Amino acid sequence: MTPTPILDLDDISISYSGVARAVSSVSLRVMPGEVVGLIGESGSGKSTLAHSILGLLPASASVEGRHMRLNGQDLLAASANARRHLRGPGAAMVFQNPMATFSPLHRIGRQLMDFLWRDRASSPDEKRRRIIHALADAGISDPEARFDAYPFELSGGMLQRISIAAALLMQPALLIADEPTTALDVTMEAQILHLMRELRQRTGVSILMISHQLGVIAEICDRVAVMYAGRIVEEGPVERIFADPRHGYTKALLSCELSLVEDGAARLPAISWRDEPGEVRP
Ligand SMILES: Nc1ncnc2c1ncn2[C@@H]1O[C@H](COP(=O)(O)OP(=O)(O)OP(=O)(O)O)[C@@H](O)[C@H]1O
Ligand SMILES: [Mg+2]
């Protein structure tokens, strides 16, 4: 029997009032334990899609489609209140800038306690123990001391580890990471990707990894969907996309990265907006 997908988007379109469609007829599945990459140029609709799953879109946005199932439950068919209850244990998000994830005014531990607000059965001491355990799992050394630290006392890499720990505290079935390493240097990036791989193995969490860096996608994903101008234009196992890209945008993206590796002076290919979207001009 095929397992139920953790995330199942069917024909989802999203518009902001007064702006052309940001997401057009997107269908995408993430299976249990799978890491799916969502790659695409700036403005192609990746964050809009991610925010719609978590209910983070502004009131000016409208979402329509056949279904948006999280853990088998359709968010589009649910009432606003039911949606909140489905989203909590369903999905959690890690954002691009770890500095913006935490308030600068409060200690880390106090902010992480807020992530456990749903858990009314545990005492504050139990919650503290769980948080310290989660920090240690995320590779934070001396987690007791970090519990009492302010965000400005920690590096960006450490804060991003703590954001991942915070997201996993809620034991979500799906972790959505929106460019989680873009604000970090390459050493930190490698450490964060290593941590995410390890946590996936240990907890079995599914991951939707948004990026425009092919290296990040190659490092961690099983499958990749390529977004271009609001649509998914290509999807497949990560090896296939790298070995045999079919859409113009994917080809252009790969050849940009390859030409930088092989010949820094090579001309970058451009995709024309006047022609059919996706057509590549050398
Ligand atoms: N709050 C908003 N109001 C109106 N339009 C928006 C809003 N947020 C995004 N958009 C528009 O929706 C489209 C998709 O934007 P989105 O941020 O989802 O792209 P993205 O793929 O995440 O880009 P990036 O790689 O730069 O993060 C863009 O045309 C953008 O200008
Ligand atoms: Mg974005």
Side-chain angles (χ1 to χ4, degrees):
M1 208 177 77
T2 354
T4 311
I6 297 296
L7 178 70
D8 185 0
L9 306 179
D10 190 359
D11 199 23
I12 297 298
S13 297
I14 306 172
S15 314
Y16 293 98
S17 53
V19 183
R21 268 189 178 179
V23 170
S24 290
S25 304
V26 163
S27 297
L28 181 70
R29 284 180 165 192
V30 181
M31 302 307 287
E34 196 181 24
V35 183
V36 175
L38 190 57
I39 194 163
E41 65 177 357
S42 193
S44 58
K46 307 179 296 294
S47 297
T48 299
L49 191 63
H51 290 172
S52 72
I53 300 161
L54 284 143
L56 299 176
L57 289 173
S60 63
S62 63
V63 183
E64 54 192 39
R66 265 196 285 279
H67 60 245
M68 178 181 278
R69 292 198 188 116
L70 189 58
N71 262 338
Q73 308 275 343
D74 188 4
L75 294 172
L76 294 185
S79 68
N81 195 31
R83 269 203 294 268
R84 263 202 303 280
H85 289 286
L86 296 176
R87 278 174 174 138
M93 185 141 176
V94 175
F95 295 90
Q96 177 173 340
N97 182 357
M99 298 289 179
T101 302
F102 295 99
S103 154
L105 300 176
H106 302 290
R107 295 177 197 273
I108 291 289
R110 152 136 188 236
Q111 298 189 53
L112 294 183
M113 290 292 240
D114 290 344
F115 280 77
L116 294 175
W117 67 273
R118 273 173 213 280
D119 176 6
R120 298 202 175 87
S122 309
S123 68
D125 268 359
E126 280 166 351
K127 288 184 182 175
R128 185 173 190 278
R129 269 198 299 278
R130 259 172 76 193
I131 290 170
I132 287 174
H133 197 262
L135 291 178
D137 273 354
I140 299 290
S141 57
D142 202 357
E144 278 93 358
R146 308 302 180 205
F147 187 92
D148 291 321
Y150 285 96
F152 66 81
E153 296 176 288
L154 304 173
S155 70
M158 265 175 136
L159 282 177
Q160 197 60 308
R161 280 172 183 275
I162 296 174
S163 322
I164 294 170
L168 293 178
L169 265 181
M170 297 177 279
Q171 299 182 307
L174 177 70
L175 183 68
I176 302 180
D178 193 352
E179 314 253 7
T181 62
T182 309
L184 305 175
D185 68 36
V186 283
T187 321
M188 286 297 168
E189 173 174 293
Q191 289 180 13
I192 292 290
L193 293 177
H194 177 79
L195 171 67
M196 291 181 78
R197 260 203 314 267
E198 189 190 287
L199 290 173
R200 187 257 291 241
Q201 237 159 21
R202 195 160 358 120
T203 64
V205 68
S206 304
I207 301 176
L208 181 63
M209 170 66 102
I210 299 175
S211 184
H212 35 225
Q213 289 168 269
L214 287 171
V216 168
I217 296 291
E219 191 68 29
I220 190 169
C221 297
D222 305 312
R223 208 152 49 80
V224 194
V226 182
M227 261 187 111
Y228 184 76
R231 294 178 183 276
I232 290 185
V233 291
E234 173 157 19
E235 191 186 332
V238 74
E239 299 80 12
R240 204 279 291 156
I241 297 279
F242 276 75
D244 177 25
R246 293 178 191 161
H247 188 265
Y249 171 71
T250 325
K251 286 182 187 166
L253 194 62
L254 275 164
S255 66
C256 286
E257 299 230 347
L258 289 178
S259 61
L260 286 175
V261 172
E262 287 164 4
D263 174 7
R267 282 186 60 198
L268 297 178
I271 296 176
S272 166
W273 275 95
R274 291 220 186 105
D275 309 329
E276 191 58 22
E279 205 169 288
V280 182
R281 267 190 285 115

